């Protein structure tokens, strides 16, 4: 699809100018590292399937990927065990409850429903083909890097901050194990899951992830095939249903594009066949989504006329 880059640059800058200082929200406080990130940071980036890059704001600042990492591990799981097994073992339905909900598990006999909430994400980690925790971790990190088009690195500070406060996730992992819905040692899955959430990524790299998914798995910057083309549609479907947590339905209704948020302040949005749109700003709404990130990403999509349900 031919894109008017001059118009796109104007749209990105206008969206940033209008929303980068929008009021409301607070940094995630339950992870000490995230609470300390300067709340005035904001960035917006677009990467097209042809490799064009448009940015505004603090687009090179690296922040914690957090739950956006779930998209990457899902992509790897689809390649490892296939979409049917992913649907059977992990699920493809929204929970209708917060991303770390134990009640969602209890209501469904301790079985996960979606790979994009914490329970399903740890179950997804457990199905990755590996002989030990380190192999499991490095395969996930490699997938993150392939999608982002650059070597991503673990932040020891983020990881330590999370590993010492992840008791709730440890409990969820044991519940999954009790229901035969964990496919490796539960504490190994929890440990690796925590690590995958602790890598650092820039807004440009996040937009590159989106462009790779938009381009059916081909990274437009490196030209590396990150995942099978036939599997990208399953990733985008999961993002549509659960990617914005409790606001996923509202996002689909108003923006109409697959998206995934992280409590580090990132927002990843995919325009299939066209581009990835990424935004970043630490203050979050009550469901865990960046307040300014949502506004900036939505403004770009709407100004450019991208909405899957309006096409």
């Amino acid at each position: 699809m031919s894109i008017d880059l001059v118009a796109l640059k104007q749209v990105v800058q206008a969206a940033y100018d209008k929303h980068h200082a929008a009021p409301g929200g607070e940094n995630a406080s339950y992870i000490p590292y995230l609470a300390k990130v300067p709340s005035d940071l904001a960035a917006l980036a677009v990467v097209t399937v042809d490799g064009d890059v448009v940015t505004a704001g603090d687009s090179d600042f690296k922040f914690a990927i957090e739950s956006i990492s779930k998209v990457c591990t899902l992509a790897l799981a689809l390649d490892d065990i296939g979409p049917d097994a992913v649907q059977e073992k992990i699920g493809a339905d929204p929970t209708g409850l917060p991303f770390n909900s134990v009640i969602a598990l209890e209501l469904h006999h301790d079985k996960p429903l979606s790979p994009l909430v914490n329970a399903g994400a740890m179950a997804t980690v457990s199905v990755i083909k590996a002989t030990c925790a380190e192999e499991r971790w490095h395969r996930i990190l490699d997938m993150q890097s392939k999608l982002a088009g650059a070597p991503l690195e673990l932040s020891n500070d983020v990881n330590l901050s999370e590993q010492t406060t992840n008791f709730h996730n440890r409990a969820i992992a044991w519940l999954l194990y009790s229901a035969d819905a964990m496919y490796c040692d539960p504490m190994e899955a929890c440990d690796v899951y925590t690590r995958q959430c602790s890598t650092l990524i820039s807004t440009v790299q996040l937009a590159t992830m989106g462009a790779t998914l938009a381009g059916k798995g081909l990274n437009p910057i490196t030209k590396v095939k990150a995942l099978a083309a036939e599997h990208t549609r399953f990733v985008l479907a999961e993002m549509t249903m659960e990617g914005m947590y409790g606001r996923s339905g509202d996002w689909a209704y108003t923006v109409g594009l697959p998206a995934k948020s992280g409590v580090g302040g990132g927002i990843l949005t995919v325009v299939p066949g066209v581009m990835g749109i990424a935004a970043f700003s630490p203050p979050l709404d009550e469901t865990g989504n960046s307040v300014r990130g949502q506004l900036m990403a939505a403004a770009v999509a709407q100004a450019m006329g991208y909405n899957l349900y309006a096409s």
Side-chain angles (χ1 to χ4, degrees):
M1 176 182 291
S2 178
I3 297 174
D4 183 340
L5 290 179
V6 173
L8 179 60
K9 290 176 182 177
Q10 293 173 343
V11 163
V12 168
Q13 191 62 53
Y16 174 82
D17 290 343
K18 183 175 181 179
H19 299 297
H20 78 278
E26 297 180 351
N27 287 34
S29 59
Y30 59 92
I31 299 172
Y33 178 94
L34 299 183
K36 298 176 182 178
V37 177
S39 60
D40 60 343
L41 290 168
L44 182 60
V46 168
V47 176
T48 73
V49 294
D50 294 324
D52 302 303
V53 180
V54 180
T55 67
D58 305 300
S59 57
D60 291 327
F61 178 85
K62 293 192 175 180
F63 55 92
I65 190 171
E66 296 296 342
S67 283
I68 301 172
S69 67
K70 295 168 180 171
V71 171
C72 308
T73 307
L74 169 60
L76 181 57
L78 286 164
D79 281 352
D80 271 6
I81 66 173
D84 291 343
V86 166
Q87 185 177 22
E88 177 186 354
K89 291 177 180 291
I90 301 160
D93 289 305
T95 67
L97 290 165
F99 60 85
N100 60 351
S101 174
V102 175
I103 295 174
L105 277 177
E106 289 290 325
L107 291 173
H108 297 91
H109 311 291
D110 295 334
K111 299 285 188 179
L113 286 179
S114 167
L116 299 189
V117 296
N118 291 13
M122 286 188 282
T124 305
V125 168
S126 78
V127 303
I128 299 303
K129 293 180 179 178
T131 57
C132 64
E134 291 308 306
E135 182 183 7
R136 193 179 306 276
W137 157 238
H138 284 291
R139 290 198 67 219
I140 289 171
L141 181 61
D142 183 60
M143 174 57 86
Q144 288 188 11
S145 299
K146 284 181 179 178
L147 287 166
L152 300 190
E153 295 182 353
L154 178 75
S155 166
N156 290 325
D157 289 340
V158 179
N159 188 47
L160 179 63
S161 190
E162 298 211 22
Q163 295 282 9
T164 55
T165 57
N166 67 352
F167 304 108
H168 193 89
N169 281 341
R170 293 183 212 178
I172 289 173
W174 281 114
L175 282 173
L176 291 167
Y177 182 76
S178 72
D180 295 323
M182 183 65 78
Y183 305 97
C184 74
D185 177 83
M187 291 300 95
E188 176 182 324
C190 186
D191 168 62
V192 173
Y193 166 72
T194 305
R195 282 192 254 178
Q196 79 172 37
C197 291
S198 302
T199 55
L200 298 180
I201 192 167
S202 71
T203 312
V204 171
Q205 291 165 343
L206 188 59
T208 303
M209 280 188 173
T212 303
L213 292 170
K216 294 187 176 180
L218 179 66
N219 188 300
I221 305 299
T222 64
K223 307 303 180 186
V224 170
K225 193 72 173 175
L227 73 156
E230 63 270 22
H231 291 163
T232 56
R233 66 187 178 98
F234 301 108
V235 176
L236 298 180
E238 295 278 13
M239 289 171 68
T240 299
M241 291 181 287
E242 189 68 85
M244 300 293 280
Y245 300 128
R247 291 209 67 241
S248 298
D250 290 331
W251 184 266
Y253 191 88
T254 58
V255 181
L257 294 171
K260 183 71 192 85
S261 65
V263 295
I267 299 282
L268 170 63
T269 305
V270 179
V271 186
V274 183
M275 63 175 60
I277 305 169
F280 160 70
S281 191
L284 312 176
D285 65 16
E286 64 279 0
T287 57
N289 301 320
S290 171
V291 172
R292 299 168 189 153
Q294 291 177 86
L295 293 171
M296 290 188 287
V300 171
Q302 290 162 355
M304 297 297 291
Y306 296 133
N307 183 320
L308 293 181
Y309 311 114
S311 62

